[in-house]
Amino acid sequence: KMMITGGGSVGIGVSPSATLHVQASSPEFRLSTASSAVVRLRTSGDNYINTGQNLGLGTASPSARLHAVSTQCDVLAESTTAGQSTRYRLKTTSREWRIGTFSGQNNNLWFYDATAAAYRFVLDPNGRCMIGGTSPDGTLHVHTASAGTVTADTDRDDLVIENSANVGMTFLSPNTAKQAIAFGDPQNSRVGLITYDHADDSLAVRVNNTDNLLKVISTGVGIQKTPNAQYSLDMAGQML
């Protein structure tokens, strides 16, 4: 049965308590073209909007498939069952990525390569990051493969680089530039330095703000000076 009230509300199967009110054992709303339903809302089965157009929430001019506009705009995805993940899935014709969190994975935020079945990046609740694994040893843990049963020293775990074979770090720059590792404190941001200078292909060590305490070139080593190319070892001052 259908009822239209004096106020213009329409009820189908019920006396309406809204502008349009439908009540049935399995109610369904459908908008169709001649060939198929493009909008389908129901209490049993999947619901969908398949118009091929953009959908706006808070906007009449959506510029993407789903476009939400608000003064403060949040999108919430929530898992209500312990041990289940909350995630977004990004998929092309050849690859699928998932971004999510999972209580069984220490509630980390993770980027998961579903195509390769591998976690590529995680951020744990303590603010530690790991590339290539799920359990960071330090502030940033770069993991290519397991080195074995070992954990980074807690006094030296701000950057951890791990591999099952040779492991290394590379600095790249133009061949006229310098590359350096600086050691600093509140009084001096580079009181100690290890520097490679591509201009003369030398390696120098600064200690206690003193340059060239040790300097190495292709022909020799200088202590507290730039070495003379004629000597394998060239020292300033006296040898005791």
Side-chain angles (χ1 to χ4, degrees):
K1 66 180 182 178
M2 183 174 72
M3 177 185 296
I4 303 176
T5 68
S9 295
V10 178
I12 300 175
V14 66
S15 176
S17 58
T19 303
L20 176 61
H21 188 170
V22 179
Q23 180 173 300
S25 58
S26 297
E28 181 174 333
F29 173 78
R30 185 185 302 196
L31 295 177
S32 300
T33 63
S35 57
S36 62
V38 293
V39 177
R40 194 171 189 181
L41 303 175
R42 52 185 173 167
T43 58
S44 177
D46 293 334
N47 296 272
Y48 55 84
I49 299 174
N50 189 27
T51 63
Q53 304 299 315
N54 295 336
L55 175 64
L57 302 175
T59 177
S61 303
S63 59
R65 275 292 180 259
L66 178 60
H67 185 173
V69 176
S70 179
T71 303
Q72 177 176 317
C73 192
D74 296 331
V75 178
L76 176 63
E78 181 180 0
S79 172
T80 58
T81 303
Q84 297 300 311
S85 63
T86 300
R87 64 193 181 189
Y88 294 100
R89 297 173 64 178
L90 307 173
K91 190 173 183 178
T92 66
T93 55
S94 59
R95 201 159 203 91
E96 180 179 344
W97 290 88
R98 299 173 186 175
I99 305 170
T101 185
F102 175 42
S103 61
Q105 199 55 260
N106 303 317
N107 288 311
N108 293 336
L109 172 68
W110 41 256
F111 286 73
Y112 180 73
D113 183 348
T115 304
Y119 288 93
R120 300 304 190 188
F121 174 84
V122 302
L123 174 65
D124 76 9
N126 296 311
R128 300 179 303 177
C129 303
M130 187 169 189
I131 299 171
T134 59
S135 300
D137 279 357
T139 306
L140 176 59
H141 188 166
V142 181
H143 181 274
T144 301
S146 175
T149 306
V150 59
T151 301
D153 186 277
T154 55
D155 285 337
R156 299 160 187 86
D157 63 354
D158 299 286
L159 173 61
V160 181
I161 304 174
E162 181 178 358
N163 200 351
S164 60
N166 297 335
V167 66
M169 180 172 59
T170 300
F171 297 153
L172 300 174
S173 70
N175 64 4
T176 56
K178 295 180 180 180
Q179 298 159 345
I181 299 174
F183 304 88
D185 55 42
Q187 287 68 45
N188 190 328
S189 62
R190 53 176 195 160
V191 67
L193 279 173
I194 301 173
T195 304
Y196 192 90
D197 189 344
H198 288 268
D200 62 2
D201 284 314
S202 65
L203 180 69
V205 178
R206 168 190 283 195
V207 177
N208 195 22
N209 211 33
T210 301
D211 286 326
N212 298 333
L213 194 67
L214 178 69
K215 188 166 184 177
V216 182
I217 61 175
S218 61
T219 57
V221 177
I223 298 177
Q224 294 186 348
K225 64 176 297 187
T226 298
N228 189 314
Q230 299 178 28
Y231 306 118
S232 297
L233 178 61
D234 192 358
M235 301 177 62
Q238 298 178 340
M239 184 188 304
L240 299 178

